[in-house]
Amino acid sequence: MLEIFIRIGCYLLAILMITSAIDKIKNYSIALSKIKAYQLVNQNVGKVVLIVGICIEIFVGISLLIKRFDLLGLSVFVLMMLSYSTAIYINLRKGNTSISCGCGGVLESDALSYKHLLRNSSLIITGILIYQFDTVTNLTIVQEIFILMIAISTIIFYGSLKEYKRQVWTIEKIKTRLSL
């Protein structure tokens, strides 16, 4: 049973990493402006940070998909997540919260909060658990596909719920403006 939950976590993390990287590639200039909004590095360093981040996300995602998430993959992933979390923490302490988190994909958010640090900690713990417990599985290809579908469905559900909340907030905001 543990093996099924580890595989779900593995696929979830892989999909999150790859979709985040794809989003940043597709919207490169927007992703770069989000890094600039953090006010921690200059424009040239920001480009390097973005490219390295995209490469790490793709590397981690593929490593998880092909079941090659070794100590190197875990280390790179944890360092990346700690770097992102440090940047978020610094901006939270400065009061610079009205900027996008820059996560990309379904994790994207318009404002920084301590929830991002909690989420990143959860992702790091997930990565550690995958590294620790993901061994050669005896799952059939049908079971692997089923588990992958659970992971995809979970991400779609999360994204839909997040969008629903955003729409409700927008409607409430419009109602407030109309009642003035």
Side-chain angles (χ1 to χ4, degrees):
M1 186 63 137
L2 177 64
E3 139 182 78
I4 291 172
F5 286 112
I6 294 298
R7 294 305 305 150
I8 290 171
C10 188
Y11 284 130
L12 279 171
L13 199 54
I15 293 166
L16 289 174
M17 291 293 105
I18 292 170
T19 56
S20 177
I22 290 170
D23 185 59
K24 290 172 186 169
I25 292 168
K26 283 175 45 180
N27 303 301
Y28 181 81
S29 60
I30 294 170
L32 191 56
S33 69
K34 290 174 184 176
I35 290 174
K36 186 177 179 183
Y38 273 76
Q39 302 173 358
L40 297 174
V41 295
N42 68 34
Q43 184 79 11
N44 292 332
V45 175
K47 289 178 185 178
V48 173
V49 167
L50 179 58
I51 291 168
V52 169
I54 289 169
C55 291
I56 290 171
E57 289 169 351
I58 291 170
F59 170 75
V60 168
I62 291 172
S63 296
L64 288 162
L65 287 177
I66 63 171
K67 300 179 185 181
R68 298 285 185 255
F69 193 61
D70 56 8
L71 186 57
L72 173 64
L74 174 66
S75 301
V76 169
F77 171 70
V78 169
L79 284 172
M80 176 189 73
M81 294 306 294
L82 288 175
S83 298
Y84 290 169
S85 296
T86 301
I88 291 168
Y89 180 75
I90 289 169
N91 276 272
L92 288 171
R93 296 290 293 164
K94 286 182 182 178
N96 190 18
T97 60
S98 60
I99 60 174
S100 170
C101 67
C103 303
V106 72
L107 297 177
E108 188 63 46
S109 177
D110 291 339
L112 293 182
S113 75
Y114 284 95
K115 291 178 187 175
H116 290 93
L117 298 177
L118 182 61
R119 183 201 58 210
N120 287 357
S121 297
S122 299
L123 291 173
I124 290 170
I125 291 167
T126 301
I128 292 168
L129 290 173
I130 290 168
Y131 171 76
Q132 188 69 33
F133 295 107
D134 193 25
T135 58
V136 177
T137 62
N138 296 324
L139 299 174
T140 67
I141 188 71
V142 172
Q143 290 170 321
E144 286 281 351
I145 291 171
F146 184 72
I147 291 169
L148 177 60
M149 291 299 120
I150 291 172
I152 291 170
S153 298
T154 302
I155 290 172
I156 291 171
F157 178 75
Y158 174 79
S160 299
L161 184 62
K162 188 173 165 184
E163 181 61 23
Y164 172 76
K165 284 180 170 181
R166 193 180 71 77
Q167 292 297 330
V168 167
W169 179 82
T170 301
I171 290 168
E172 291 302 319
K173 193 173 175 182
I174 290 170
K175 283 180 182 179
T176 303
R177 286 185 181 172
L178 290 176
S179 66
L180 293 177

